[in-house]
Amino acid sequence: MMKKTFTFILFSIACVVLFAANVQAQCAMCSINAEQGVKNGNTVSAGLNTGVLYLLAIPYLMAMIVGVVWYKKFRKKNVDLNMKKEPFHLN
């Protein structure tokens, strides 16, 4: 079961990396400012798209880390309960 899950995750990551399109993660106003800055010789605006992509990815990475920690902490473990064979009442 674990090997199938690991294989699926690895295959999914490989597909995303290999078949990813060139992403432009800027709003219209940001892209106009970046284009005008590059035309005017400003080299600072060249990394604006990369910065926007990093800002987009960080919340998803944080949510994934919290989910993995939560799963590891609260998953069911194989616990053997040794209870007495005496009847007990819930009322």
Side-chain angles (χ1 to χ4, degrees), residues 28-89:
M29 187 166 267
C30 294
S31 67
I32 290 171
N33 286 332
E35 288 174 9
Q36 292 298 325
V38 171
K39 286 180 183 177
N40 294 331
N42 187 359
T43 59
V44 175
S45 60
L48 184 64
N49 192 33
T50 305
V52 171
L53 288 174
Y54 283 130
L55 289 173
L56 175 74
I58 288 174
Y60 289 107
L61 289 174
M62 289 173 52
M64 186 174 63
I65 290 170
V66 168
V68 168
V69 169
W70 179 66
Y71 173 76
K72 293 273 186 184
K73 186 173 182 181
F74 292 109
R75 69 180 176 187
K76 291 183 179 181
K77 296 180 174 58
N78 293 333
V79 178
D80 189 26
L81 296 176
N82 295 325
M83 297 182 67
K84 297 178 183 176
K85 293 188 177 188
E86 299 174 2
F88 61 92
H89 302 287

